[in-house]
Amino acid sequence: LLKLKIRVSRNKLLLIATVVLGLALAFAGLFMYLEGVDFFTAFYWAIITMATIGYGDIIPQTEAGRIVAMIAAVAGISTFTALVSILAEYFISSSLRRMTGMH
Amino acid sequence: LLKLKIRVSRNKLLLIATVVLGLALAFAGLFMYLEGVDFFTAFYWAIITMATIGYGDIIPQTEAGRIVAMIAAVAGISTFTALVSILAEYFISSSLRRMTGMH
Amino acid sequence: LLKLKIRVSRNKLLLIATVVLGLALAFAGLFMYLEGVDFFTAFYWAIITMATIGYGDIIPQTEAGRIVAMIAAVAGISTFTALVSILAEYFISSSLRRMTGMH
Amino acid sequence: LLKLKIRVSRNKLLLIATVVLGLALAFAGLFMYLEGVDFFTAFYWAIITMATIGYGDIIPQTEAGRIVAMIAAVAGISTFTALVSILAEYFISSSLRRMTGMH
Ligand SMILES: [K+]
Ligand SMILES: [K+]
């Protein structure tokens, strides 16, 4: 059960990491198209936005770009929250296991 | 019980999403009025502030606007925290259910 | 027990809110002194920093001011984390109570 | 058991604090080398980035610097998440202890 649990947690972490990367690539693609910047700059913007850092060196200039930024903000926080929840679930599972003696 | 629990969690998520949107609209309205910007710009500012990104492209220029920004900061973090807690509660419930065999 | 638990949680929330406000006032005082800005500006800077928004409209210009900013960053995240933990603990307590039938 | 648990939590907190400081020093060293700024400025940038504040007063100018910033963003959030999880685990442990009467 323990091994299965850990494998499930690892799969979830891999899944969420894939989702974050997929979203970053999608937002970068949209930002590149709407704001007329190169892909590396757009990807850098997407990561800095989704991580809620927001340096402000690259900002959307168009209304459409701003809508993408707002969605990226919400998506960034959501996926970050999912990551926290998965990690919390993992620690709670092992905590409960230790408390109830289910090795 | 399981179905009821999931429905309660979904209702809570819907509630918190409504609260976040309501607060964003309220802060945007105040910011538009106090700082003299259009509603879309004010709403974009509210989302970027509540998501704690804070690009710095739109910043309050008046004392009243700064007070709204401070309240939006605290409200953004509070509602984000509530969202994390709800998601954590949901994962903990399902975790406990699996551990105690309450399918 | 339930009432006692809720009262403890409320006291903890009040305590953490007091700690956040106290720290914001202390950092604002230091920033005002080191950076030569008025207290309202310094307090606005402290809240925007501790909330990890960081617009970048008010930034430390001196080395001492930057050290205060780094401490405010760590303190902001720490107190925010404490708040999340208290809320999580509260939800877990009520969740456990419901699961184990301890009304 | 309780004393052991608290000691484990304290060791974990010390470990995560050491990891955060170690990462900040490593990112600062890389940023200093790639962006040609002094170490204090680079360290200030690393802390403000890892805390997800991102004032935007010091930003990477080179592609390599931007890659370091993206890694620092992910590392900052990861270690912060680990910290939240450790604190959550600690509070859950004490919560469970109180609920199950394991003083
Ligand atoms: K930020
Ligand atoms: K920022």
Side-chain angles (χ1 to χ4, degrees):
Chain A
L1 185 70
L2 174 57
K3 277 184 186 169
L4 181 75
K5 215 68 205 301
I6 289 168
R7 210 176 312 140
V8 168
S9 290
R10 273 187 199 152
N11 286 352
K12 270 190 186 173
L13 273 173
L14 218 76
L15 176 72
I16 190 74
T18 312
V19 168
V20 169
L21 190 67
L23 284 173
L25 289 169
F27 291 130
L30 277 167
F31 196 83
M32 176 180 67
Y33 174 72
L34 294 166
E35 299 287 326
V37 295
D38 63 281
F39 187 76
F40 180 78
T41 302
F43 185 75
Y44 166 73
W45 165 83
I47 294 291
I48 296 301
T49 296
M50 288 178 74
T52 74
I53 289 174
Y55 283 130
D57 51 352
I58 296 136
I59 43 164
Q61 308 286 345
T62 66
E63 281 220 350
R66 283 183 170 183
I67 290 165
V68 173
M70 286 191 271
I71 297 165
V74 173
I77 285 177
S78 301
T79 50
F80 171 54
T81 300
L83 191 69
V84 171
S85 296
I86 287 163
L87 281 174
E89 186 187 12
Y90 176 80
F91 281 114
I92 289 154
S93 295
S94 28
S95 192
L96 279 174
R97 219 165 8 232
R98 281 199 300 272
M99 299 301 289
T100 54
M102 291 167 72
H103 306 286
Chain B
L1 186 71
L2 174 58
K3 276 184 186 169
L4 182 74
K5 213 69 205 301
I6 289 168
R7 212 178 310 141
V8 168
S9 290
R10 272 187 200 151
N11 286 352
K12 270 191 187 173
L13 273 173
L14 218 76
L15 176 72
I16 191 74
T18 312
V19 168
V20 169
L21 191 67
L23 284 173
L25 289 169
F27 291 131
L30 277 167
F31 196 84
M32 177 180 66
Y33 174 72
L34 293 166
E35 299 286 327
V37 295
D38 63 281
F39 187 76
F40 180 79
T41 301
F43 185 74
Y44 166 74
W45 165 83
I47 294 291
I48 296 302
T49 296
M50 288 178 74
T52 74
I53 289 173
Y55 282 130
D57 50 352
I58 296 136
I59 44 164
Q61 308 287 345
T62 66
E63 281 221 349
R66 282 182 172 184
I67 289 166
V68 173
M70 286 190 271
I71 297 166
V74 173
I77 286 176
S78 301
T79 49
F80 171 53
T81 300
L83 191 67
V84 171
S85 296
I86 287 163
L87 281 173
E89 187 187 12
Y90 176 79
F91 282 114
I92 289 154
S93 295
S94 29
S95 193
L96 280 173
R97 219 162 12 231
R98 280 200 300 274
M99 299 302 288
T100 54
M102 290 167 72
H103 306 286
Chain C
L1 186 71
L2 174 57
K3 277 184 187 169
L4 182 74
K5 213 71 205 299
I6 290 168
R7 211 177 312 140
V8 168
S9 290
R10 272 187 199 150
N11 286 353
K12 271 190 187 173
L13 273 173
L14 217 75
L15 176 72
I16 190 74
T18 311
V19 168
V20 170
L21 191 68
L23 284 173
L25 289 169
F27 292 131
L30 277 167
F31 197 83
M32 177 180 65
Y33 173 72
L34 294 165
E35 300 287 327
V37 295
D38 64 281
F39 187 76
F40 180 79
T41 302
F43 185 75
Y44 166 73
W45 165 83
I47 294 290
I48 296 302
T49 296
M50 288 178 75
T52 73
I53 289 174
Y55 283 130
D57 50 352
I58 296 137
I59 43 164
Q61 308 286 345
T62 66
E63 281 220 350
R66 283 182 171 183
I67 290 165
V68 173
M70 287 190 270
I71 297 166
V74 174
I77 286 176
S78 301
T79 49
F80 171 53
T81 300
L83 191 67
V84 172
S85 296
I86 288 163
L87 281 174
E89 187 187 11
Y90 176 79
F91 281 114
I92 289 154
S93 294
S94 29
S95 192
L96 280 173
R97 218 162 13 230
R98 281 199 300 274
M99 299 302 289
T100 54
M102 290 168 73
H103 305 286
Chain D
L1 185 72
L2 174 57
K3 276 185 188 169
L4 182 74
K5 214 70 206 302
I6 289 168
R7 211 177 312 141
V8 168
S9 289
R10 271 187 200 151
N11 285 353
K12 270 190 187 174
L13 273 173
L14 217 76
L15 176 72
I16 190 74
T18 311
V19 168
V20 170
L21 191 67
L23 285 173
L25 290 169
F27 292 132
L30 277 167
F31 196 84
M32 177 180 66
Y33 174 72
L34 293 166
E35 300 286 327
V37 294
D38 63 281
F39 187 76
F40 180 78
T41 302
F43 185 74
Y44 166 74
W45 165 83
I47 294 291
I48 296 301
T49 297
M50 288 178 75
T52 74
I53 289 173
Y55 283 130
D57 50 352
I58 296 138
I59 45 164
Q61 307 287 345
T62 66
E63 281 220 350
R66 282 183 172 183
I67 289 165
V68 173
M70 286 189 272
I71 297 165
V74 173
I77 286 176
S78 301
T79 49
F80 171 54
T81 300
L83 190 68
V84 171
S85 297
I86 287 163
L87 280 173
E89 187 187 12
Y90 176 79
F91 281 114
I92 289 153
S93 295
S94 29
S95 193
L96 280 173
R97 218 161 13 231
R98 280 199 300 272
M99 299 302 290
T100 54
M102 291 167 73
H103 307 286

